[in-house]
Amino acid sequence: MMPEIKKPERPADDDCCGGGCCPCVWDYYHDQLSLWLEQEGKQPLETSSEQSSENDSVYR
């Protein structure tokens, strides 16, 4: 049995340095949010960054 995942906190706008880091704080956040949504029985985020940003606004 996997441990329960807590809903991740959205990074602050200034948490990303804009330097193209891999992984970015946003990559980690979206990965964790997708796992949490799946755990909650909700539709996971889309894979493209444009769709993820759009869907993420619903969960902020």
Side-chain angles (χ1 to χ4, degrees):
M1 182 173 187
M2 301 222 15
E4 185 175 336
I5 298 170
K6 293 182 181 179
K7 183 177 181 182
E9 290 188 34
R10 183 181 180 277
D13 291 335
D14 62 353
D15 284 347
C16 173
C17 69
C21 302
C22 188
C24 174
V25 294
W26 288 105
D27 295 329
Y28 179 75
Y29 170 71
H30 285 124
D31 288 345
Q32 293 300 303
L33 183 60
S34 290
L35 291 171
W36 179 78
L37 288 169
E38 285 180 32
Q39 170 187 279
E40 298 298 307
K42 299 177 183 177
Q43 182 67 31
L45 298 175
E46 298 294 325
T47 55
S48 78
S49 60
E50 182 177 314
Q51 290 172 330
S52 292
S53 295
E54 184 178 312
N55 289 343
D56 180 40
S57 65
V58 175
Y59 299 105
R60 288 182 188 172

